[in-house]
Amino acid sequence: MPRQLGDLEDAVMSRVWQWNRPVTVREVLEDLQRERSIAYTTVMTVMDNLHQKGWVRREVDGRAYRYTAVSTRAAYAAALMNEAWSKSDNPAAALVAFFGMMSPTQRDALEDAVRMVRSDRPEVTPEAVPPEAVPPEGADREHPAGR
């Protein structure tokens, strides 16, 4: 899992992800300059760093490079969430706390995502569930952290 992007890296990658096409340093620079004063060489260095870190690939186009994202923003966000979750000494409690921070809209999106993942998998039959996955009698099934 790559480390979290810095502020300027994120600003550059946001444009690359949003435009979803090969982009030049000049294009990114001109868009960034609507928000802040920034030099061409700064953007060029950031994009080169993103290439070295594996976030973008580049192809020569005349005397410049065109940069393309290697993965999506959604994949980046998922990797960050997975990294944070994997560092917890109690993953179930971390999920419960995370879900508690979600807005109703975010919870609806989560439910939609769970439905999509479940529809991609074959139905789970009782025979296919390992015994350690079944909560003991009397366990609080609504709140996994309470087990």
Side-chain angles (χ1 to χ4, degrees):
M1 151 66 196
R3 69 171 179 76
Q4 186 171 352
L5 295 170
D7 289 340
L8 189 51
E9 290 173 328
D10 187 67
V12 169
M13 284 306 301
S14 290
R15 282 146 179 89
V16 175
W17 283 319
Q18 180 184 358
W19 297 337
N20 196 28
R21 61 174 173 76
V23 301
T24 63
V25 170
R26 176 74 52 202
E27 290 174 301
V28 174
L29 169 73
E30 289 172 359
D31 200 60
L32 283 171
Q33 285 179 330
R34 294 178 188 172
E35 300 171 0
R36 61 178 95 185
S37 177
I38 190 166
Y40 180 92
T41 53
T42 301
V43 177
M44 182 176 65
T45 299
V46 169
M47 293 185 82
D48 183 61
N49 289 344
L50 288 167
H51 175 257
Q52 297 300 322
K53 294 176 180 180
W55 288 102
V56 294
R57 67 173 132 319
R58 65 185 181 193
E59 295 178 12
V60 176
D61 183 14
R63 293 179 39 200
Y65 286 113
R66 289 205 173 266
Y67 295 84
T68 307
V70 170
S71 66
T72 64
R73 180 177 278 288
Y76 167 65
L80 289 178
M81 289 186 285
N82 187 55
E83 176 74 10
W85 185 45
S86 69
K87 290 182 178 180
S88 173
D89 61 347
N90 187 338
L95 283 175
V96 170
F98 179 63
F99 297 157
M101 295 176 194
M102 292 177 140
S103 69
T105 302
Q106 290 170 320
R107 281 196 282 279
D108 289 345
L110 174 65
E111 289 174 9
D112 291 343
V114 168
R115 274 193 292 278
M116 284 189 277
V117 169
R118 284 187 176 153
S119 69
D120 286 348
R121 296 184 179 166
E123 278 299 311
V124 177
T125 62
E127 300 81 34
V129 178
E132 62 273 9
V134 179
E137 281 301 312
D140 186 348
R141 295 171 194 257
E142 292 296 313
H143 300 285
R147 281 190 231 151

